Amino acid sequence: MASTSRLDALPRVTCPNHPDAILVEDYRAGDMICPECGLVVGDRVIDVGSEWRTFSNDKATKDPSRVGDSQNPLLSDGDLSTMIGKGTGAASFDEFGNSKYQNRRAMSSSDRAMMNAFKEITTMADRINLPRNIVDRTNNLFKQVYEQKSLKGRANDAIASACLYIACRQEGVPRTFKEICAVSRISKKEIGRCFKLILKALETSVDLITTGDFMSRFCSNLCLPKQVQMAATHIARKAVELDLVPGRSPISVAAAAIYMASQASAEKRTQKEIGDIAGVADVTIRQSYRLIYPRAPDLFPTDFKFDTPVDKLPQL
Amino acid sequence: MDQNSSLPPYAQGLASPQGAMTPGIPIFSPMMPYGTGLTPQPIQNTNSLSILEEQQRQQQQQQQQQQQQQQQQQQQQAVAAAAAAVQQSTSQQAAQGVSGQTPQLFHSQTLTTAPLPGTTPLYPSPMTPMTPITPATPASESSGIVPQLQNIVSTVNLGCKLDLKTIALRARNAEYNPKRFAAVIMRIREPRTTALIFSSGKMVCTGAKSEEQSRLAARKYARVVQKLGFPAKFLDFKIQNMVGSCDVKFPIRLEGLVLTHQQFSSYEPELFPGLIYRMIKPRIVLLIFVSGKVVLTGAKVRAEIYEAFENIYPILKGFRKTT
């Protein structure tokens, strides 16, 4: 029986007894069957899916079972263009070995830059293992910015990196500018500028970053156990609440909190290691650590098991 | 005296004809209608007061006014001592009714001075409050803090083409590196400023602390160029940017400020430790820091800096850190 569960997009054909039922398609017979009563509503419906048979005796560089490219028509402007494939026989090459039919360019020229940017976004996101929803959001943001043309003069890679940064923020899992810099060829300054311009152009805003947004990522990169991560989160939050670190970047405070928590536990990390992971200079960690050190006993969670007691914490 | 005390404190500075701003009072408080005809009209109840009391009232106000014109007229009136004249003026005044009138402090004024455009109608009672144009801030006292100007950037056209190489070789304190930048960088010590002199004859003067100093410095640079043999003139001196700074003396919760004023503020601790507030009116950019220091820039005139600070001060007070 029909195994495809394709949703019926044609509103006209419905079962007369069950107008709400979604018709199930039987591809073998080309029938549309109502699942409630089994009535065959439409027959010999043309299957618009992929080509079933493949003639695989020739060397098939491309999979001939596809009738069109699988790119998303939501983002590019309608993907109905086709192109002439590379010649395979001997007749398609002239005496020097160049292919006779050379015109493979000028396909979707208006969106060539956009497709290029999408490719770049996917590459960048892949480097830091970002999930598909962030990539989709980034693509949408880029399309909106590109269509608006207010940032047309800026490098597309810079816009793409800034869109990636904004998408991560909007999904609630912000990445630091330095992390985006690490996977992009654009400088932090340029990404920051494009970030502000895009927020203005799209008239959106993003939430402020907090120390807790980065804890899980930094701590797992440092291979710290869960207790240390929870302690560091608690320390950072308390430090900000008690206003011990006014004006300090949340990344620096988070790094200092991780340092304090790791030094109090069995898994000690040096400032340099933490600085490498967080993208913070170790003198910055030292500065923030000096600010939170005096109130160290108040910052730790109550159920924390100290490997090094609080008074023996390193004092820099 | 009772006349002025009946006015709300902010409007006492306005209690002069034509809305002239007395220097002692901060020029742009949040309540101050910016150059409009909305000067409050003190008591119109000439009918209720006797003429003698009116004269006494006028003389008391006269002491607080600094317009010599009114004082002269008042003295003339006192000398004339014509009760009939005063009676005439008051009756004329009553006849004028609702149409635009200057504040009724000096009845003699109504005969000579032109009415203010768009003035409000007569108020029946002295205690009528004024509705402010600027956004609703409480009619509190001004901050008492005056931003200090730190830098003025101005441009001037010397009006002739210049040969930068000769300027650089012959002038003192001039550097010229055409591969790096296409202008001569010249510095003078008094006022301590730096000038960029371009071969087209245009010059940019930076570093002065006041408008007059900027103009004086630009003139000194023009004289230097003139002494080197170029027919330098001093055309189109214009101040392009003024930077001021001040301290509100209390720490500020920037996170709260960015939440409520999202459309104006930008606070990215990763990029810059201060909050960047872009005020629409006047068009000034303010850098607000946690410590309470505020930097204001983008002004073309001094008054914009003051006005911007007076606008932001009540907002900052609302985000004062309590601990």
Side-chain angles (χ1 to χ4, degrees):
Chain A
M1 254 304 263
S3 55
T4 58
S5 56
R6 194 164 304 138
L7 282 175
D8 182 24
L10 303 169
R12 323 183 275 267
V13 185
T14 49
C15 171
N17 301 329
H18 306 100
D20 296 330
I22 297 173
L23 298 179
V24 170
E25 204 173 296
D26 178 12
Y27 62 88
R28 270 191 290 138
D31 297 338
M32 310 266 268
I33 304 172
C34 168
E36 308 273 328
C37 59
L39 183 69
V40 174
V41 183
D43 58 350
R44 279 192 244 145
V45 173
I46 296 171
D47 181 11
V48 295
S50 61
E51 177 66 41
W52 303 335
R53 304 181 296 168
T54 65
F55 305 99
S56 53
N57 36 4
D58 284 341
K59 41 188 192 301
T61 50
K62 275 195 93 98
D63 183 11
S65 71
R66 296 241 75 146
V67 295
D69 204 0
S70 68
Q71 279 299 80
N72 33 17
L74 298 168
L75 293 186
S76 311
D77 283 344
D79 219 9
L80 301 173
S81 58
T82 59
M83 62 186 196
I84 298 175
K86 236 174 14 181
T88 48
S92 63
F93 293 97
D94 60 10
E95 58 242 23
F96 296 114
N98 303 324
S99 50
K100 275 187 190 167
Y101 185 72
Q102 277 146 2
N103 189 15
R104 299 195 60 205
R105 299 179 297 267
M107 183 196 83
S108 73
S109 56
S110 63
D111 293 318
R112 180 169 301 272
M114 204 146 87
M115 279 168 52
N116 226 350
F118 292 158
K119 190 154 135 316
E120 188 64 33
I121 287 169
T122 315
T123 315
M124 283 197 294
D126 190 53
R127 288 193 189 119
I128 41 177
N129 302 321
L130 288 175
R132 189 70 216 171
N133 60 337
I134 292 185
V135 177
D136 288 339
R137 195 182 270 265
T138 310
N139 286 344
N140 273 319
L141 285 169
F142 186 87
K143 180 176 156 97
Q144 282 175 42
V145 170
Y146 190 74
E147 281 174 350
Q148 232 201 34
K149 294 194 193 310
S150 51
L151 278 88
K152 201 164 179 199
R154 301 266 170 190
N156 272 343
D157 285 346
I159 311 263
S161 310
C163 286
L164 190 62
Y165 178 82
I166 295 176
C168 293
R169 272 260 212 142
Q170 285 180 340
E171 290 284 330
V173 284
R175 300 290 188 271
T176 63
F177 275 108
K178 292 195 173 159
E179 286 173 317
I180 304 287
C181 266
V183 298
S184 166
R185 66 176 178 90
I186 310 290
S187 68
K188 176 174 180 249
K189 196 154 96 160
E190 186 59 28
I191 299 182
R193 274 200 209 120
C194 288
F195 163 73
K196 284 192 248 185
L197 287 171
I198 292 174
L199 284 186
K200 191 141 200 203
L202 299 182
E203 283 171 7
T204 41
S205 66
V206 286
D207 291 332
L208 206 49
I209 53 174
T210 58
T211 51
D213 296 332
F214 306 98
M215 279 304 172
S216 70
R217 205 159 359 106
F218 291 168
C219 291
S220 16
N221 286 345
L222 290 163
C223 310
L224 290 170
K226 187 95 170 80
Q227 284 77 27
V228 180
Q229 176 187 325
M230 282 165 49
T233 314
H234 188 270
I235 292 172
R237 201 186 63 236
K238 273 310 269 241
V240 171
E241 273 174 24
L242 297 172
D243 197 30
L244 303 173
V245 283
R248 300 272 162 190
S249 166
I251 321 282
S252 322
V253 176
I258 294 176
Y259 180 69
M260 183 179 269
S262 73
Q263 288 293 325
S265 73
E267 301 273 335
K268 295 183 178 17
R269 300 282 178 269
T270 62
Q271 287 180 347
K272 187 164 170 351
E273 287 173 345
I274 301 176
D276 278 342
I277 297 286
V280 178
D282 54 346
V283 287
T284 312
I285 303 182
R286 211 171 300 153
Q287 291 285 358
S288 300
Y289 182 76
R290 280 200 199 115
L291 290 172
I292 59 176
Y293 180 76
R295 300 285 299 267
D298 304 327
L299 300 174
F300 275 97
T302 43
D303 54 350
F304 185 69
K305 294 197 180 31
F306 287 88
D307 187 77
T308 310
V310 188
D311 41 354
K312 298 272 196 326
L313 280 175
Q315 186 180 12
L316 312 137
Chain B
M1 195 59 82
D2 55 334
Q3 170 75 16
N4 272 345
S5 64
S6 68
L7 296 174
Y10 70 90
Q12 285 185 0
L14 285 176
S16 58
Q18 322 304 325
M21 306 300 174
T22 57
I25 288 161
I27 295 180
F28 291 98
S29 72
M31 293 299 281
M32 198 74 66
Y34 195 11
T36 66
L38 263 191
T39 51
Q41 308 246 342
I43 304 171
Q44 296 298 323
N45 49 356
T46 56
N47 298 328
S48 58
L49 292 179
S50 73
I51 294 169
L52 190 58
E53 285 176 25
E54 276 179 348
Q55 278 187 333
Q56 281 177 355
R57 186 165 49 84
Q58 286 170 15
Q59 280 169 2
Q60 282 164 0
Q61 284 147 14
Q62 182 189 358
Q63 290 160 8
Q64 301 173 20
Q65 294 305 319
Q66 298 176 19
Q67 295 267 345
Q68 291 187 2
Q69 184 188 4
Q70 291 94 35
Q71 283 179 0
Q72 282 175 2
Q73 287 185 339
Q74 200 60 27
Q75 284 163 9
Q76 285 171 10
Q77 196 178 358
V79 165
V86 176
Q87 231 172 6
Q88 256 183 11
S89 66
T90 53
S91 64
Q92 272 185 352
Q93 183 187 314
Q96 277 179 15
V98 180
S99 62
Q101 296 184 9
T102 55
Q104 301 302 310
L105 300 173
F106 303 101
H107 299 296
S108 56
Q109 292 282 308
T110 57
L111 304 172
T112 52
T113 54
L116 269 175
T119 47
T120 56
L122 299 178
Y123 278 98
S125 78
M127 300 302 280
T128 314
M130 292 295 299
T131 329
I133 292 179
T134 49
T137 47
S140 57
E141 65 289 347
S142 72
S143 59
I145 305 172
V146 180
Q148 298 302 314
L149 290 182
Q150 303 290 348
N151 183 24
I152 314 258
V153 176
S154 57
T155 54
V156 73
N157 187 1
L158 300 177
C160 62
K161 292 263 176 289
L162 304 173
D163 181 15
L164 297 183
K165 204 152 148 228
T166 49
I167 295 179
L169 285 172
R170 292 170 56 196
R172 268 183 244 151
N173 299 325
E175 61 183 79
Y176 179 45
N177 192 350
K179 279 191 278 209
R180 211 160 60 106
F181 191 57
V184 166
I185 303 167
M186 197 184 293
R187 296 183 171 86
I188 57 174
R189 278 193 209 99
E190 176 55 48
R192 185 172 286 279
T193 48
T194 304
L196 306 173
I197 306 174
F198 292 85
S199 53
S200 61
K202 299 215 171 125
M203 183 173 78
V204 180
C205 173
T206 61
K209 296 278 193 223
S210 85
E211 302 92 322
E212 266 317 297
Q213 281 188 6
S214 190
R215 195 185 176 87
L216 175 65
R219 282 205 177 269
K220 287 193 179 174
Y221 287 114
R223 194 165 71 233
V224 168
V225 169
Q226 203 176 48
K227 288 224 176 108
L228 289 176
F230 297 96
K233 302 185 258 310
F234 199 75
L235 309 168
D236 308 324
F237 175 80
K238 182 169 180 224
I239 291 181
Q240 302 288 357
N241 186 25
M242 299 173 75
V243 181
S245 71
C246 56
D247 187 3
V248 300
K249 304 275 194 303
F250 53 78
I252 302 171
R253 275 185 298 119
L254 298 182
E255 313 82 35
L257 182 55
V258 76
L259 276 175
T260 45
H261 290 72
Q262 238 167 28
Q263 59 270 55
F264 309 113
S265 328
S266 155
Y267 177 45
E268 284 300 319
E270 278 188 89
L271 295 177
F272 189 64
L275 188 151
I276 302 170
Y277 192 100
R278 295 180 187 269
M279 198 178 279
I280 312 275
K281 180 183 176 351
R283 217 164 73 86
I284 300 281
V285 175
L286 299 92
L287 305 176
I288 305 169
F289 294 89
V290 183
S291 56
K293 302 262 192 330
V294 179
V295 173
L296 307 96
T297 183
K300 289 272 193 291
V301 290
R302 189 186 281 252
E304 284 176 2
I305 300 240
Y306 294 157
E307 186 187 344
F309 182 68
E310 292 302 323
N311 284 348
I312 200 82
Y313 188 72
I315 299 171
L316 294 182
K317 274 207 293 197
F319 288 101
R320 184 185 192 137
K321 273 197 192 160
T322 44
T323 50

